[in-house]
Amino acid sequence: PKVKDIGNYILRGKLWEAAWAVRLELHLNKSQILSEYLNRVYLGGVAYGVDAAARTLYDKRPEALSVAEAALIAALPRRPGALDPFRDRSQAKAARDRVLTTMLEVGLITAEEHSEALEQPLGLRREPPMGGVWHLVRRLNPAPGALTVTLDARLQKDVEALVRGMVASLREQAVSQAAAIVVDRKSGEV
């Protein structure tokens, strides 16, 4: 679009969002809207909703989370990809700590609870679920507990390392992405 059309495009988008907000408020009360949001918001990896995030990150139900664990999940909607704690623990911890400080400032937790929560490590499960192939699970978007895959996690890791090496060797030629398909020569399975 031309530069002068961008303002109209943005305005149309905002009007559409406002219309949907009014429609939601006509059919749902505030508690229902919040519940719908918390059950659907993307929180990184394969986690859509607070329950999925609690299970993915901590292998717990939301009501069993500590204050520090809940604060990490509360930080995720802003930047779920960048704050993925399995990829960058330091950014995730910094975001969690900011949420904890905000909770203290608005009176949701005491100074003692704040101090204790800041001292806690992230305490994540040992590794991401699904053997680290979140991209596949996210793409398939299964219902909770409804996905069965037969992936060789070791082979997946080896192929990813080969692809990273190939991309690195081709950077001077402006290559920044690659893909690989692995086929079993005996069975023909992909």
Side-chain angles (χ1 to χ4, degrees):
K2 295 179 183 173
V3 174
K4 66 180 183 178
D5 293 337
I6 291 175
N8 288 333
Y9 177 77
I10 293 171
L11 179 62
R12 271 185 293 198
K14 294 297 179 188
L15 288 172
W16 185 84
E17 289 175 7
W20 268 105
V22 169
R23 236 176 130 186
L24 276 175
E25 287 194 0
L26 288 173
H27 297 285
L28 301 172
N29 64 39
K30 301 273 188 215
S31 178
Q32 291 170 317
I33 292 170
L34 178 60
S35 178
E36 286 295 318
Y37 173 77
L38 292 174
N39 287 321
R40 295 171 188 253
V41 64
Y42 177 61
L43 295 167
V46 295
Y48 285 86
V50 172
D51 187 73
R55 292 172 192 274
T56 299
L57 298 174
Y58 299 109
D59 201 21
K60 296 179 180 179
R61 295 193 46 80
E63 55 270 13
L65 295 173
S66 70
V67 170
E69 293 166 342
L72 173 61
I73 291 173
L76 294 176
R78 176 172 261 171
R79 295 177 31 222
L83 297 176
D84 181 343
F86 289 114
R87 291 191 184 141
D88 190 341
R89 288 179 187 250
S90 63
Q91 276 207 44
K93 186 177 183 313
R96 177 203 72 176
D97 293 352
R98 284 191 299 274
V99 169
L100 288 168
T101 299
T102 300
M103 291 172 73
L104 173 67
E105 289 169 355
V106 299
L108 292 174
I109 59 175
T110 66
E112 183 180 340
E113 289 170 318
H114 179 256
S115 297
E116 288 175 13
L118 288 175
E119 294 299 318
Q120 287 184 15
L122 290 180
L124 304 171
R125 61 192 307 165
R126 289 185 180 261
E127 64 179 54
M130 304 306 291
V133 291
W134 291 20
H135 57 282
L136 171 67
V137 178
R138 185 181 322 130
R139 184 83 156 178
L140 296 174
N141 196 16
L147 180 67
T148 303
V149 293
T150 55
L151 294 173
D152 183 332
R154 194 180 86 243
L155 178 61
Q156 173 78 20
K157 195 177 262 188
D158 291 346
V159 170
E160 286 179 5
L162 286 170
V163 169
R164 271 193 302 277
M166 183 61 66
V167 169
S169 72
L170 296 170
R171 279 223 200 274
E172 290 180 9
Q173 297 165 6
V175 174
S176 63
Q177 297 180 21
I181 297 175
V182 179
V183 179
D184 184 329
R185 290 188 301 191
K186 291 180 183 171
S187 68
E189 292 176 331
V190 177

